[in-house]
């Protein structure tokens, strides 16, 4: 007896977070009857997340029989059939957070699970005078839940909240020597800082997220009147019908956000006055700064593509 496939979802009727699995098993007709299933839900490296609960009813169980009397078997001994079974795994908040942390560390942002089962069957041993025996067999399968499916069908139901998927693509553009050198270097450095911010979010270091975000702003320095990035970028925005006023308003918003982030880093204002109260960044503050910074870098990244048309 072995597993053909496993589908996974969330048990929405449960108060506690619970994965719900539906598995199809293949068995030998007239020789095997499934009795019970036990096991564990694990991470890919074998760490236990939850125990498997297999109290759900078998589908079609009543039709699975072993003929005892000789010559009464309708099977040749090699015929196989399939039955379905539902089982679940109630998972703790700590385990869910661990899965989310592991997911975010992968380039695919997918969730990887390992189902390790022990399947007990009543087995007809024809080599021992047709004796009935209980046989235990392992049944293991790895499951990958893709990012889009996890965010759409799992995260909120498991208590992680709703998420918005943001895709960022780095463009390798054929630019003139000077422009290529300037923008490639800036975008490469900005992407490195974004990666650092992502790691800091996973580690819960909210204050460090703010410190690193300011390093991104400092790469471009668009709020500096005489900086080379400003005039070059202004030309690119104008190609998309940005007015000079609109571009200046964008720069002002960047400057104000830069100033806002400084309040979480410096204990005193520019004139030396105490800040009262001293801001302590929370998770939502850090995520706001990360999303804003990523959006800003993505905006620059896309506008720079316009150089190709020249």
């Amino acid at each position: 007896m072995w597993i053909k496939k496993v589908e996974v979802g969330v048990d929405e009727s449960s108060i506690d977070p619970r994965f719900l699995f539906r598995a199809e098993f293949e068995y030998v007709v007239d020789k095997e009857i499934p009795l019970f299933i036990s096991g564990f839900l694990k991470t890919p490296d074998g760490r236990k997340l939850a125990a498997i609960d297999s109290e759900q009813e078998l589908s079609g169980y009543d039709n699975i029989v072993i003929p005892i009397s000789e010559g009464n078997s309708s099977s040749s001994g090699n015929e196989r059939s399939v039955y379905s079974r539902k089982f679940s795994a109630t998972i703790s908040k700590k385990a869910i957070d661990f899965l989310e942390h592991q997911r975010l560390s992968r380039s695919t942002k997918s969730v990887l699970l390992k189902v390790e089962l022990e399947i007990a069957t009543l087995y007809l041993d024809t080599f021992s005078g047709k004796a009935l025996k209980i046989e235990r067999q392992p049944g293991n399968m790895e499951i990958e839940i893709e990012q889009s499916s996890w965010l759409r069908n799992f995260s909120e139901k498991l208590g992680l909240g709703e998420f918005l998927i943001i895709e960022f693509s780095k463009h390798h553009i054929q630019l003139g020597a000077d422009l290529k050198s300037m923008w490639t270097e800036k975008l490469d450095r900005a992407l490195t800082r974004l990666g650092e911010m992502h790691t800091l979010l996973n580690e819960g270091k909210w204050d460090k997220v703010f410190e690193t975000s300011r390093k991104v702003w400092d790469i471009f320095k668009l709020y500096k009147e005489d900086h080379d990035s400003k005039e070059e970028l202004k030309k690119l925005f104008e190609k998309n019908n940005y007015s000079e006023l609109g571009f200046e308003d964008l720069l002002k918003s960047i400057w104000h956000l830069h100033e806002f982030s400084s309040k979480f880093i410096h204990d005193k204002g520019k004139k030396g006055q105490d800040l009262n109260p001293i801001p302590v960044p929370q998770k939502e503050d850090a995520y706001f700064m990360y999303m804003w910074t990523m959006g800003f870098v993505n905006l620059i990244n896309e506008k720079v593509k316009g150089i190709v048309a020249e």
Side-chain angles (χ1 to χ4, degrees):
M1 180 174 294
W2 59 92
I3 303 174
K4 287 194 64 177
K5 69 175 183 178
V6 177
E7 298 174 349
V8 60
V10 177
D11 185 357
E12 298 185 55
S13 66
S14 175
I15 294 176
D16 295 319
R18 178 179 295 175
F19 285 111
L20 187 61
F21 301 88
R22 180 184 180 277
E24 289 187 357
F25 299 86
E26 191 168 284
Y27 68 98
V28 180
V29 175
D30 293 346
K31 287 191 176 181
E32 291 179 304
I33 291 180
L35 296 178
F36 61 86
I37 297 172
S38 60
F40 291 95
L41 182 64
K42 296 184 176 182
T43 62
D45 59 357
R47 281 178 279 187
K48 293 180 181 178
L49 293 167
I52 297 294
D53 175 10
S54 61
E55 295 181 357
Q56 286 79 8
E57 294 294 327
L58 285 170
S59 173
Y61 180 85
D62 293 340
N63 296 323
I64 303 176
V65 297
I66 296 179
I68 299 299
S69 53
E70 189 172 351
N72 198 29
S73 172
S74 61
S75 139
S76 64
N78 295 318
E79 182 183 349
R80 288 173 169 77
S81 188
V82 176
Y83 76 93
S84 299
R85 178 118 195 198
K86 291 181 180 179
F87 52 92
S88 63
T90 302
I91 188 166
S92 68
K93 180 64 168 61
K94 183 177 180 179
I96 293 172
D97 289 340
F98 180 83
L99 284 178
E100 181 68 4
H101 177 80
Q102 292 296 302
R103 181 185 77 82
L104 292 172
S105 69
R106 298 187 184 97
S107 60
T108 60
K109 301 296 184 290
S110 60
V111 172
L112 300 180
L113 300 171
K114 180 185 289 186
V115 177
E116 290 190 0
L117 300 177
E118 184 178 81
I119 309 164
T121 61
L122 190 62
Y123 181 73
L124 179 61
D125 186 357
T126 56
F127 296 100
S128 303
K130 291 194 174 181
L132 290 174
K133 295 182 177 180
I134 293 179
E135 187 175 77
R136 297 175 183 270
Q137 303 175 24
N140 303 331
M141 181 167 286
E142 292 188 355
I143 300 173
E144 180 176 5
I145 305 174
E146 294 182 352
Q147 177 190 22
S148 57
S149 178
W150 177 257
L151 299 182
R152 184 172 59 250
N153 302 318
F154 290 85
S155 60
E156 183 180 8
K157 297 172 184 176
L158 292 173
L160 287 171
E162 296 185 74
F163 289 82
L164 177 67
I165 302 174
I166 294 181
E167 295 184 353
F168 186 98
S169 58
K170 180 182 175 184
H171 301 282
H172 297 280
I173 312 167
Q174 299 298 320
L175 306 176
D178 293 339
L179 286 175
K180 181 176 182 179
S181 175
M182 182 178 73
W183 289 112
T184 299
E185 180 184 1
K186 291 180 185 298
L187 288 169
D188 282 346
R189 291 171 61 193
L191 286 174
T192 298
R193 295 303 186 190
L194 282 173
E196 293 173 4
M197 291 177 70
H198 192 278
T199 300
L200 293 168
L201 283 173
N202 292 338
E203 295 173 351
K205 298 178 180 178
W206 318 131
D207 55 338
K208 297 297 182 181
V209 172
F210 274 81
E211 291 179 16
T212 307
S213 73
R214 286 175 60 85
K215 295 177 181 179
V216 176
W217 309 126
D218 289 341
I219 291 170
F220 297 96
K221 296 184 183 295
L222 296 181
Y223 42 82
K224 298 290 186 180
E225 288 296 331
D226 57 348
H227 200 269
D228 55 358
S229 299
K230 180 178 177 180
E231 287 304 315
E232 291 295 339
L233 197 62
K234 182 179 179 181
K235 296 175 184 178
L236 300 180
F237 275 78
E238 288 175 346
K239 289 182 178 181
N240 296 121
N241 292 328
Y242 272 66
S243 66
E244 182 174 353
L245 180 59
F247 182 72
E248 290 299 325
D249 284 341
L250 174 64
L251 296 189
K252 288 178 183 177
S253 69
I254 293 171
W255 169 249
H256 285 301
L257 194 65
H258 182 273
E259 289 293 281
F260 165 73
S261 65
S262 70
K263 304 301 185 292
F264 291 87
I265 299 171
H266 304 300
D267 289 335
K268 294 182 179 294
K270 289 183 176 180
K271 297 181 180 180
Q273 72 273 26
D274 291 334
L275 296 178
N276 188 24
I278 298 175
V280 178
Q282 302 299 313
K283 179 179 180 179
E284 61 273 15
D285 301 311
Y287 269 92
F288 166 74
M289 188 56 59
Y290 174 67
M291 300 291 280
W292 212 104
T293 307
M294 174 178 278
F296 166 72
V297 176
N298 187 55
L299 180 67
I300 302 298
N301 188 55
E302 294 296 321
K303 296 303 180 187
V304 168
K305 290 169 59 180
I307 301 176
V308 179
E310 293 184 343

